[in-house]
Amino acid sequence: MKMREFRVTRNYLDYPPGSALLEMGNTRVICTAFYEEGIPAFLQNSMVAEGWLTAEYNMIPAATLTRGKRERLSGRSFEIQRLIGRALRAVVDRNEFPGYTVYVDCDVIQADGGTRTAAINGSCIAIYDAFQKMIAAGLITTNPLREWVAAISVGIVENELILDLSYDQDSRAQVDMNVVMTEQGKFVEIQGTAEREPFTDNDLQKMLMKAKQAIAKIIYLQKKSVDLI
Amino acid sequence: MKMREFRVTRNYLDYPPGSALLEMGNTRVICTAFYEEGIPAFLQNSMVAEGWLTAEYNMIPAATLTRGKRERLSGRSFEIQRLIGRALRAVVDRNEFPGYTVYVDCDVIQADGGTRTAAINGSCIAIYDAFQKMIAAGLITTNPLREWVAAISVGIVENELILDLSYDQDSRAQVDMNVVMTEQGKFVEIQGTAEREPFTDNDLQKMLMKAKQAIAKIIYLQKKSVDLI
Amino acid sequence: MKMREFRVTRNYLDYPPGSALLEMGNTRVICTAFYEEGIPAFLQNSMVAEGWLTAEYNMIPAATLTRGKRERLSGRSFEIQRLIGRALRAVVDRNEFPGYTVYVDCDVIQADGGTRTAAINGSCIAIYDAFQKMIAAGLITTNPLREWVAAISVGIVENELILDLSYDQDSRAQVDMNVVMTEQGKFVEIQGTAEREPFTDNDLQKMLMKAKQAIAKIIYLQKKSVDLI
Amino acid sequence: MKMREFRVTRNYLDYPPGSALLEMGNTRVICTAFYEEGIPAFLQNSMVAEGWLTAEYNMIPAATLTRGKRERLSGRSFEIQRLIGRALRAVVDRNEFPGYTVYVDCDVIQADGGTRTAAINGSCIAIYDAFQKMIAAGLITTNPLREWVAAISVGIVENELILDLSYDQDSRAQVDMNVVMTEQGKFVEIQGTAEREPFTDNDLQKMLMKAKQAIAKIIYLQKKSVDLI
Amino acid sequence: MKMREFRVTRNYLDYPPGSALLEMGNTRVICTAFYEEGIPAFLQNSMVAEGWLTAEYNMIPAATLTRGKRERLSGRSFEIQRLIGRALRAVVDRNEFPGYTVYVDCDVIQADGGTRTAAINGSCIAIYDAFQKMIAAGLITTNPLREWVAAISVGIVENELILDLSYDQDSRAQVDMNVVMTEQGKFVEIQGTAEREPFTDNDLQKMLMKAKQAIAKIIYLQKKSVDLI
Amino acid sequence: MKMREFRVTRNYLDYPPGSALLEMGNTRVICTAFYEEGIPAFLQNSMVAEGWLTAEYNMIPAATLTRGKRERLSGRSFEIQRLIGRALRAVVDRNEFPGYTVYVDCDVIQADGGTRTAAINGSCIAIYDAFQKMIAAGLITTNPLREWVAAISVGIVENELILDLSYDQDSRAQVDMNVVMTEQGKFVEIQGTAEREPFTDNDLQKMLMKAKQAIAKIIYLQKKSVDLI
């Protein structure tokens, strides 16, 4: 019951100010962050000077076992990219980059379960680096990432607790849970779904415990990848 | 810290075999269920004879304080209708209505927070009645609803635990959680989101407790509305 | 040969400044009116200070005997909402609310024929009330509704003249006519269609006579619903 | 108060079995008719063997004084193509071409008012010829066009009755009416709209009279164009 | 091995400042040019004052042997309209109409091969005339068309060199090439495609030679059509 | 005047039967090939048993210097994917994989000019491998790739002949030409565009010569990457 192998290739692409190839097992996601001047209309009348951060998520057709269709945007993708955006906004101080929007893109090139958690894990690295570039460019003074955030899936497959489910495990899971937590061990998001059978409070507590341990490990690896540790 | 007033108008519409107007405070949702012969393509090669259940969710433009746009389908609506479908599928035995699809529609006519939970609460009544009509029509023999399911929101607003959040409370909430549970007290879905500040494990446990109590009460009211109690 | 039962529930919703549930027989339409500052681009260069009024029409999927599809906007809906907008604009003085747009929404929750006429009848009540709210808010000084407008369908079914056709009658009609008239007995819109057989001038005159009587009655009921009579 | 010059160029295109360029004043519409085997799904379970006829209407961008946008299909176009289809279906005997669908296309290449009436007038010629080709091909035995149909606009501009309104007249009209009638003087469709001021019964009767005379003349010209007179 | 008959009807439509019906054999294309104030956003920060020219291409459904569908915009149409735009921009001096956009529309009303080349040939006439109207209106001083441009298709069908391929020839061609050249015999665009078998360098040279001769002839006919010769 | 560095990572992804990461300079494209049973409708009535091959092309938003938009499918992408499909179909014997469709996907993850040529070069490797897998699976007996195909861009920048243009060179080019050739030195596709100034026949001949040499080299590298050399 261990997390799959976790690998980061920082600065994976040349053009975005922050980018990482994030791999968890066979799942591979290109995570990037661009900053641009300007904020969305709904923030423009805000009293406080704020920045914004938004995320998009997509899969290439060749990412899956049988070729996927290039769709405009499925309900599933919408749900995931909203989750990524919320998770990252929970740990950045938007007052620290007023007038700028950070665009995060998560493009899955290989999908073997846990693409949304890999996307969050890689995006946090990408935005850290993009913010560092903003500092280097004299646009902001301190990195607005208040604390690191990471995500992991945990589930119950054939009555056994499993961490970081592969696609095959996920499709057989009774319960599937995604947990997003911060460096300080607080929750940003919990999404647990009974795929077949409703689950008990006891199951829930065990899954949360496992997730907590894994997230601490991931945050260690994220920070190491950007030479903070 | 009580749930808002909960009202059911059973058989609200004339044409759908199951329908209910479900009100929680000022939130009002028309929930309906139609059955049709036929199942989606992805089930047709299944070994086991199964039925299917799917849900759609929408708001009329006049449902909100400032008029909404008639959009094709926003990311938010997609997310909600997927949740409703999952919640209901978790408590129906799909082997009990093989070859049929149940279409659930949740049309919000007034939105004051908690529209997704109201939609689940009303839909469960609508499908119960639609299944009863299938029995009356000789299409199935027992009601496939294995146990009742209900949903409630719970959150922390200004450091206080609040149940069944109104729109105004929701927009000020630090944490917002939707819990879907069954009659037997098991979880079907947990979705907790830190809107501003990450939340602690202690907060989580308190919110789950409150939700559990409220759901027991809602299920009592659902069953009473269809004369099962 | 009488009109079906006509019922108004004024102020049906809490948020729109004007709203009514309008029922004619089993047909039920939620009609609402919001006002917003701003006018469409094509009016902005006008010499005269004018307001604008526009309407949208939609059906919820559960409104019909067999469940309808949530479509973006069918040709039929387009046609109907253009008709509603024209009918209302014919009786409001747009110079009396310069710089404002009134958005009318007609959401059919149950459809048993005559939804477009019910929509016009209910919308006229909704805009009257919305304009009263504008007066109360000090935005305008007199109600821009110059005279009331109402609509009715009339047709020939099995060689018999029928008023306010139900869905079943409408589908068997040889001729189907919608008439929109003002309080003073003038025509705003006439739309007569030979569904099967072309119709004679004599048929036309008889249908117009019947429509005229019914519209006088509806306008009486509209005004009574807002306490003007 | 005369109709504008009316010109037909029969067999305007090489490929469709029926086609005509129909000109009324400066308005020019290419009207064509193709037949294809197959009928829409909603007719396939019909007891009676029937054919179907459907119409589409569009404008090229260069048809208007200021260049139009190539839109998918505006509300206005939807409304017009539904009218054209209904008008033609009212005069064809669909039992006479069972199993076939006739596709009518009306492409406006120059628009100076009255494009929908020109489209109906030209399409009736195109379907007559397409049906003749079906006879020649041995697919049917008699021409299903039971009687000819034609359309004209009539309106009141500066208190004067005007026939076949140009774009400029139409935009200044108080009332604008489109009348579709058959060879035998019966109505197929009446659509009268008060553009500014509601109109009286007396106005209506005068407009219908004028329209009747013009339609008789158009039907004479249609029949002459295909050598029936 | 000759070009099909080439016909120009200048000023084919009344409203666009430049228009021509261009026919090559049975292929017929309405080509028009409108000018409007304003330039696209991507040019607005340019150092140099420039104008813009863009083209759209479409077919009416009745243009082909079997009726086509009214699609939004197929990949094929996109490709063709980009080609038309590039070809025309290569011979106009955009500094000569700063602040204006020329909109070219090519609407194919009959398609028998070579619609893209006919579209280029007719559009060059339409823009010449539209620019003359701009001079007449005092908006510009000299015609920005630096030299004329024309296009022709050439191919190998059953091992024989064919100029200006008809639809039937095109569908049997081994190689199909479109050549766009200027009055001075320079290339603007070469697009050669091996439809079945790759082709040799020798084939290429022979096709280019033939195309060159035809283009000189077309440019002669274009200039004659506008009385420059 | 040399080609940029050319690198192949064969079997870049785990799921597609053929895949390669193709890099030319800083341009990086993931090229994949899946085979599926079934052929498009337009081939199903063909006399001869054939297979089909189709291609799709897309860029991730982070591929370019400034973040791109996730569009459905731009005109440019349509044009490129049609080119890729034609180029590959020209060198495969479709009678050798009857009843199967090969889906090629080219996803650009970094774009520094020449993405369409890199896509063709990588796709040819991907389909070779996918066909080898089909042989291994006993579905076909010989590899349908009759000869290898490759593509290169060549242009004139500041009067100098340049091979394999980078984005920066491409945006400054007077002429830009893409050449697709086979192993035997025959042309599959030539697309030459005068970006600013029309070009002479002499320019054309020099560009073709350069392209021919580069393509021979690329085909050597392609075959080496799959151990055929």
Side-chain angles (χ1 to χ4, degrees):
Chain A
M1 223 240 41
K2 288 174 44 182
M3 202 170 79
R4 298 178 293 173
E5 198 189 341
F6 185 98
R7 283 179 304 277
V8 179
T9 310
R10 191 188 180 191
N11 294 328
Y12 183 66
L13 295 181
D14 296 352
Y15 302 135
S19 72
L21 175 69
L22 200 296
E23 299 174 82
M24 294 173 80
N26 291 325
T27 290
R28 295 198 242 165
V29 186
I30 300 175
C31 303
T32 66
F34 279 93
Y35 57 84
E36 280 181 29
E37 253 192 287
I39 50 172
F42 66 84
L43 285 181
Q44 277 162 14
N45 298 321
S46 171
M47 295 297 132
V48 195
E50 285 179 308
W52 186 242
L53 181 153
T54 183
E56 296 192 3
Y57 167 98
N58 204 13
M59 272 197 196
I60 67 168
T64 47
L65 201 55
T66 54
R67 181 179 179 270
K69 287 232 160 63
R70 283 176 204 277
E71 291 173 38
R72 188 170 177 65
L73 196 47
S74 67
R76 182 183 166 277
S77 295
F78 252 123
E79 208 173 309
I80 294 175
Q81 70 189 26
R82 283 162 54 93
L83 168 64
I84 299 167
R86 282 197 310 267
L88 298 173
R89 284 193 300 270
V91 290
V92 299
D93 185 343
R94 297 199 282 106
N95 299 320
E96 293 286 347
F97 53 107
Y100 286 89
T101 296
V102 173
Y103 292 93
V104 169
D105 286 284
C106 302
D107 286 89
V108 179
I109 62 175
Q110 197 158 278
D112 187 23
T115 60
R116 79 188 68 189
T117 56
I120 290 170
N121 296 334
S123 299
C124 194
I125 296 167
I127 62 169
Y128 173 82
D129 275 340
F131 286 135
Q132 290 298 103
K133 293 270 169 62
M134 287 181 79
I135 293 171
L139 302 173
I140 58 176
T141 50
T142 53
N143 198 311
L145 186 68
R146 290 186 300 212
E147 55 175 327
W148 287 73
V149 71
I152 193 75
S153 70
V154 56
I156 301 176
V157 184
E158 287 150 21
N159 300 315
E160 209 182 323
L161 217 63
I162 302 283
L163 204 57
D164 192 15
L165 289 78
S166 69
Y167 177 78
D168 173 62
Q169 291 168 332
D170 186 75
S171 60
R172 290 181 295 120
Q174 296 149 243
V175 190
D176 176 20
M177 188 162 217
N178 289 293
V179 180
V180 185
M181 286 186 104
T182 67
E183 219 172 334
Q184 298 179 19
K186 292 191 176 173
F187 294 108
V188 168
E189 189 103 16
I190 299 177
Q191 294 191 339
T193 300
E195 297 289 343
R196 287 150 203 233
E197 287 289 304
F199 57 97
T200 64
D201 197 60
N202 189 27
D203 292 335
L204 174 64
Q205 303 305 337
K206 276 194 277 182
M207 288 189 287
L208 291 177
M209 175 82 80
K210 272 293 164 197
K212 199 164 195 168
Q213 294 164 359
I215 279 170
K217 185 171 164 198
I218 292 170
I219 289 177
Y220 172 83
L221 294 169
Q222 285 173 321
K223 294 177 80 168
K224 206 170 143 193
S225 80
V226 297
D227 304 321
L228 284 177
I229 287 174
Chain B
M1 221 235 47
K2 288 173 46 182
M3 202 170 80
R4 297 179 293 174
E5 197 188 344
F6 185 98
R7 284 178 304 277
V8 179
T9 309
R10 193 188 179 192
N11 294 329
Y12 182 66
L13 295 182
D14 296 352
Y15 301 136
S19 70
L21 175 69
L22 201 295
E23 300 173 81
M24 293 174 79
N26 292 324
T27 290
R28 294 197 245 163
V29 186
I30 300 175
C31 303
T32 66
F34 280 92
Y35 57 84
E36 280 182 28
E37 253 192 288
I39 49 173
F42 67 84
L43 284 180
Q44 277 161 13
N45 298 319
S46 170
M47 295 296 133
V48 196
E50 287 179 306
W52 186 243
L53 182 153
T54 184
E56 296 192 1
Y57 167 97
N58 205 11
M59 272 195 199
I60 66 168
T64 45
L65 200 55
T66 53
R67 182 179 177 268
K69 284 231 163 64
R70 283 175 205 280
E71 290 173 38
R72 192 175 174 60
L73 198 45
S74 67
R76 182 183 167 278
S77 295
F78 252 122
E79 210 172 309
I80 294 176
Q81 70 188 26
R82 282 162 56 94
L83 168 64
I84 299 168
R86 281 198 311 266
L88 297 173
R89 284 193 299 271
V91 290
V92 298
D93 186 342
R94 295 200 282 108
N95 299 319
E96 293 285 349
F97 53 109
Y100 286 90
T101 296
V102 173
Y103 291 92
V104 170
D105 285 286
C106 301
D107 285 90
V108 179
I109 61 175
Q110 197 157 278
D112 186 24
T115 61
R116 79 187 69 190
T117 58
I120 289 170
N121 295 335
S123 299
C124 194
I125 296 167
I127 63 170
Y128 173 80
D129 275 339
F131 285 135
Q132 289 297 103
K133 294 270 170 62
M134 289 181 79
I135 293 172
L139 301 173
I140 58 175
T141 50
T142 53
N143 197 311
L145 186 68
R146 289 187 302 213
E147 54 174 328
W148 287 74
V149 71
I152 192 76
S153 70
V154 56
I156 301 176
V157 184
E158 287 148 23
N159 298 316
E160 207 183 323
L161 216 63
I162 302 282
L163 203 57
D164 193 17
L165 290 75
S166 68
Y167 177 78
D168 173 63
Q169 291 169 332
D170 187 75
S171 60
R172 290 181 294 121
Q174 295 148 246
V175 190
D176 175 21
M177 187 161 217
N178 289 293
V179 180
V180 185
M181 284 186 106
T182 68
E183 217 170 334
Q184 299 179 19
K186 291 190 176 174
F187 294 108
V188 168
E189 192 101 17
I190 298 176
Q191 294 191 341
T193 300
E195 297 290 342
R196 285 147 202 237
E197 287 288 304
F199 56 98
T200 64
D201 198 58
N202 190 26
D203 293 334
L204 173 64
Q205 303 305 338
K206 276 193 277 182
M207 289 189 285
L208 290 177
M209 177 80 81
K210 273 289 166 200
K212 200 166 193 164
Q213 294 163 357
I215 279 170
K217 184 171 165 199
I218 292 171
I219 289 178
Y220 171 82
L221 294 168
Q222 285 173 321
K223 293 178 80 168
K224 206 172 143 192
S225 80
V226 296
D227 305 321
L228 284 177
I229 284 173
Chain C
M1 222 235 47
K2 288 173 47 183
M3 203 170 81
R4 298 179 291 174
E5 199 189 340
F6 185 98
R7 284 179 303 278
V8 179
T9 310
R10 193 187 178 192
N11 293 330
Y12 183 66
L13 296 181
D14 296 352
Y15 302 135
S19 71
L21 175 69
L22 200 295
E23 299 174 82
M24 294 174 79
N26 292 324
T27 290
R28 294 199 244 164
V29 186
I30 300 175
C31 303
T32 66
F34 279 94
Y35 57 83
E36 280 181 29
E37 252 191 288
I39 50 171
F42 65 84
L43 283 181
Q44 276 161 14
N45 298 320
S46 171
M47 295 298 132
V48 195
E50 286 179 306
W52 186 242
L53 182 153
T54 183
E56 296 192 3
Y57 167 98
N58 204 13
M59 272 195 198
I60 67 169
T64 47
L65 200 55
T66 53
R67 180 177 179 270
K69 286 230 161 64
R70 282 176 205 278
E71 290 174 39
R72 189 172 176 63
L73 197 45
S74 66
R76 183 183 166 276
S77 295
F78 252 123
E79 210 173 307
I80 294 175
Q81 70 189 26
R82 284 162 54 94
L83 168 65
I84 299 167
R86 281 198 310 267
L88 297 174
R89 284 193 299 271
V91 291
V92 299
D93 186 343
R94 296 200 280 107
N95 298 321
E96 294 285 347
F97 53 108
Y100 285 90
T101 295
V102 173
Y103 291 93
V104 169
D105 285 285
C106 301
D107 286 89
V108 179
I109 63 176
Q110 195 157 281
D112 186 24
T115 59
R116 79 188 67 190
T117 56
I120 289 171
N121 296 335
S123 299
C124 194
I125 296 166
I127 62 169
Y128 173 82
D129 275 339
F131 285 135
Q132 289 298 102
K133 294 270 170 61
M134 288 181 80
I135 292 171
L139 302 173
I140 57 175
T141 50
T142 53
N143 197 310
L145 186 68
R146 288 187 302 213
E147 55 175 327
W148 287 73
V149 70
I152 192 75
S153 70
V154 56
I156 301 176
V157 184
E158 288 148 21
N159 299 314
E160 209 183 323
L161 216 63
I162 303 283
L163 203 58
D164 193 16
L165 289 76
S166 68
Y167 178 76
D168 173 63
Q169 291 168 333
D170 187 74
S171 62
R172 291 181 293 120
Q174 295 149 244
V175 190
D176 176 20
M177 189 160 216
N178 288 293
V179 180
V180 185
M181 283 186 107
T182 68
E183 218 171 335
Q184 300 179 18
K186 291 191 177 173
F187 294 107
V188 167
E189 192 102 16
I190 299 176
Q191 293 192 342
T193 300
E195 296 290 342
R196 287 150 201 232
E197 287 288 305
F199 56 100
T200 63
D201 197 59
N202 190 27
D203 292 335
L204 173 63
Q205 302 306 337
K206 276 192 278 182
M207 289 189 287
L208 291 177
M209 177 81 80
K210 273 291 166 200
K212 199 164 195 166
Q213 294 162 358
I215 280 170
K217 186 173 163 195
I218 293 170
I219 289 178
Y220 171 84
L221 295 168
Q222 285 173 321
K223 293 176 81 168
K224 207 172 142 190
S225 80
V226 296
D227 305 318
L228 283 178
I229 286 174
Chain D
M1 220 233 46
K2 288 173 47 181
M3 201 170 81
R4 296 178 295 174
E5 198 188 342
F6 185 97
R7 284 178 304 276
V8 180
T9 309
R10 192 189 180 190
N11 294 328
Y12 183 66
L13 295 181
D14 296 352
Y15 302 135
S19 72
L21 174 69
L22 200 295
E23 299 174 82
M24 293 174 80
N26 291 327
T27 290
R28 295 197 245 165
V29 185
I30 300 175
C31 301
T32 66
F34 279 93
Y35 56 85
E36 280 183 29
E37 254 192 287
I39 50 172
F42 67 85
L43 285 181
Q44 276 161 15
N45 298 320
S46 170
M47 295 295 132
V48 196
E50 287 179 306
W52 186 244
L53 182 152
T54 184
E56 297 192 1
Y57 167 98
N58 204 11
M59 273 196 197
I60 66 169
T64 46
L65 201 55
T66 54
R67 183 179 177 267
K69 286 233 163 63
R70 280 176 206 279
E71 291 174 36
R72 191 176 176 60
L73 197 47
S74 65
R76 183 184 167 276
S77 295
F78 252 123
E79 207 173 309
I80 294 176
Q81 68 188 26
R82 282 163 53 95
L83 167 65
I84 300 168
R86 281 198 311 267
L88 297 174
R89 285 194 298 271
V91 291
V92 298
D93 186 342
R94 295 200 282 107
N95 299 319
E96 293 285 348
F97 55 107
Y100 285 89
T101 296
V102 173
Y103 291 93
V104 169
D105 286 286
C106 302
D107 285 272
V108 178
I109 60 176
Q110 196 156 279
D112 186 23
T115 61
R116 78 187 68 190
T117 57
I120 290 171
N121 296 335
S123 299
C124 194
I125 297 167
I127 64 169
Y128 174 82
D129 275 340
F131 285 135
Q132 288 299 101
K133 293 272 169 61
M134 289 182 79
I135 293 172
L139 301 173
I140 58 174
T141 50
T142 53
N143 198 310
L145 186 68
R146 288 187 303 212
E147 54 174 328
W148 287 74
V149 70
I152 192 76
S153 70
V154 56
I156 301 176
V157 184
E158 288 148 22
N159 299 316
E160 208 182 325
L161 216 63
I162 302 282
L163 203 57
D164 192 17
L165 290 77
S166 68
Y167 178 76
D168 173 63
Q169 290 168 333
D170 187 74
S171 61
R172 290 181 294 121
Q174 297 149 242
V175 190
D176 175 20
M177 187 161 219
N178 289 291
V179 180
V180 186
M181 285 185 107
T182 69
E183 217 170 336
Q184 298 178 20
K186 290 190 177 172
F187 294 108
V188 168
E189 191 103 15
I190 299 176
Q191 294 191 341
T193 300
E195 297 289 344
R196 285 150 202 233
E197 288 287 304
F199 55 99
T200 65
D201 198 60
N202 189 27
D203 292 335
L204 173 65
Q205 303 305 337
K206 275 193 277 181
M207 288 190 286
L208 290 176
M209 176 81 81
K210 271 293 164 199
K212 199 165 194 167
Q213 293 164 359
I215 280 170
K217 184 169 165 199
I218 293 170
I219 290 179
Y220 171 83
L221 294 169
Q222 284 173 321
K223 294 178 80 168
K224 205 170 144 193
S225 81
V226 295
D227 304 322
L228 283 177
I229 286 173
Chain E
M1 222 238 43
K2 287 171 48 182
M3 203 171 80
R4 296 179 293 174
E5 199 188 340
F6 185 98
R7 283 178 304 278
V8 179
T9 310
R10 193 189 178 190
N11 293 329
Y12 182 66
L13 295 180
D14 296 352
Y15 301 133
S19 72
L21 174 70
L22 201 295
E23 299 174 81
M24 294 174 79
N26 292 325
T27 290
R28 294 198 245 164
V29 186
I30 300 175
C31 302
T32 66
F34 279 92
Y35 57 84
E36 282 182 26
E37 253 192 287
I39 51 172
F42 66 85
L43 284 180
Q44 276 161 13
N45 299 320
S46 171
M47 295 296 131
V48 195
E50 284 180 308
W52 187 244
L53 182 152
T54 183
E56 296 191 2
Y57 167 98
N58 204 12
M59 273 196 197
I60 66 169
T64 47
L65 201 53
T66 54
R67 182 177 177 270
K69 286 229 162 64
R70 283 177 204 277
E71 293 173 39
R72 192 171 173 64
L73 198 47
S74 67
R76 183 185 166 274
S77 295
F78 252 124
E79 209 173 309
I80 294 177
Q81 71 189 26
R82 283 162 54 93
L83 167 65
I84 299 168
R86 282 198 309 268
L88 297 174
R89 284 193 299 271
V91 291
V92 298
D93 187 342
R94 296 201 280 109
N95 299 320
E96 294 285 347
F97 53 108
Y100 286 89
T101 296
V102 173
Y103 291 92
V104 169
D105 286 284
C106 302
D107 285 90
V108 179
I109 60 175
Q110 195 157 279
D112 186 24
T115 60
R116 79 187 69 190
T117 56
I120 290 170
N121 296 334
S123 300
C124 194
I125 296 167
I127 62 169
Y128 174 81
D129 275 338
F131 286 136
Q132 290 297 104
K133 293 270 170 61
M134 289 181 79
I135 293 172
L139 302 172
I140 57 174
T141 49
T142 54
N143 198 310
L145 186 68
R146 288 187 302 214
E147 54 174 329
W148 286 73
V149 70
I152 193 76
S153 70
V154 55
I156 301 176
V157 185
E158 287 148 22
N159 298 314
E160 209 183 325
L161 217 63
I162 302 283
L163 204 58
D164 192 16
L165 288 79
S166 68
Y167 177 77
D168 173 63
Q169 290 168 334
D170 186 74
S171 61
R172 290 180 295 120
Q174 296 149 244
V175 190
D176 175 21
M177 190 161 215
N178 289 292
V179 180
V180 185
M181 285 186 104
T182 67
E183 216 171 336
Q184 299 178 19
K186 290 190 176 174
F187 294 107
V188 167
E189 191 101 17
I190 299 176
Q191 293 191 341
T193 300
E195 297 289 342
R196 286 149 202 234
E197 287 288 304
F199 57 97
T200 63
D201 198 60
N202 190 27
D203 292 334
L204 173 64
Q205 303 305 336
K206 276 194 277 183
M207 288 190 287
L208 291 176
M209 176 81 81
K210 272 292 164 198
K212 198 166 194 166
Q213 293 164 0
I215 279 169
K217 187 173 161 196
I218 292 170
I219 289 178
Y220 172 83
L221 293 168
Q222 285 173 320
K223 295 177 78 167
K224 209 172 139 189
S225 81
V226 296
D227 304 320
L228 284 176
I229 285 173
Chain F
M1 221 237 43
K2 287 174 47 182
M3 202 169 80
R4 296 178 294 174
E5 198 188 342
F6 184 99
R7 284 177 305 277
V8 179
T9 310
R10 193 189 178 190
N11 294 329
Y12 183 66
L13 296 180
D14 295 352
Y15 301 135
S19 71
L21 175 69
L22 202 294
E23 299 174 82
M24 294 175 78
N26 291 326
T27 289
R28 295 197 244 164
V29 186
I30 300 175
C31 303
T32 67
F34 280 92
Y35 57 84
E36 281 182 28
E37 254 192 287
I39 50 172
F42 67 84
L43 283 181
Q44 275 161 15
N45 297 319
S46 170
M47 295 296 131
V48 196
E50 287 179 305
W52 185 243
L53 182 152
T54 184
E56 297 191 3
Y57 167 98
N58 205 12
M59 273 196 196
I60 66 169
T64 46
L65 200 53
T66 54
R67 183 178 178 270
K69 286 231 162 62
R70 281 176 206 277
E71 292 174 37
R72 190 171 175 61
L73 197 47
S74 66
R76 182 183 168 276
S77 295
F78 252 122
E79 207 172 310
I80 294 176
Q81 70 189 27
R82 282 162 55 94
L83 167 65
I84 299 168
R86 281 198 310 267
L88 297 173
R89 284 193 299 271
V91 291
V92 298
D93 186 342
R94 294 198 284 109
N95 299 320
E96 293 285 348
F97 54 108
Y100 286 90
T101 296
V102 173
Y103 292 92
V104 169
D105 285 286
C106 301
D107 286 90
V108 179
I109 60 177
Q110 195 157 278
D112 186 24
T115 61
R116 79 188 68 191
T117 58
I120 290 171
N121 296 335
S123 299
C124 193
I125 296 166
I127 63 169
Y128 173 82
D129 275 339
F131 285 135
Q132 288 299 103
K133 294 270 170 60
M134 288 181 80
I135 293 172
L139 301 172
I140 58 174
T141 49
T142 53
N143 197 312
L145 186 67
R146 287 187 304 213
E147 55 173 326
W148 287 74
V149 69
I152 192 76
S153 70
V154 56
I156 301 176
V157 185
E158 287 149 22
N159 299 315
E160 209 184 324
L161 217 62
I162 302 282
L163 205 56
D164 193 17
L165 289 77
S166 68
Y167 178 77
D168 173 63
Q169 291 168 333
D170 187 74
S171 60
R172 291 181 294 120
Q174 298 149 243
V175 191
D176 175 20
M177 189 160 217
N178 288 292
V179 180
V180 185
M181 285 186 105
T182 68
E183 218 170 334
Q184 298 179 21
K186 290 189 175 173
F187 295 108
V188 167
E189 192 102 15
I190 299 176
Q191 294 190 340
T193 299
E195 298 289 342
R196 284 148 203 237
E197 287 289 302
F199 56 98
T200 65
D201 197 60
N202 190 28
D203 292 334
L204 173 64
Q205 303 306 336
K206 276 194 278 183
M207 289 189 286
L208 290 176
M209 176 80 81
K210 271 294 165 199
K212 198 165 195 166
Q213 293 164 359
I215 279 170
K217 185 172 165 199
I218 293 171
I219 289 179
Y220 171 84
L221 294 168
Q222 284 173 320
K223 294 177 80 168
K224 208 171 143 191
S225 79
V226 296
D227 305 321
L228 283 177
I229 284 172

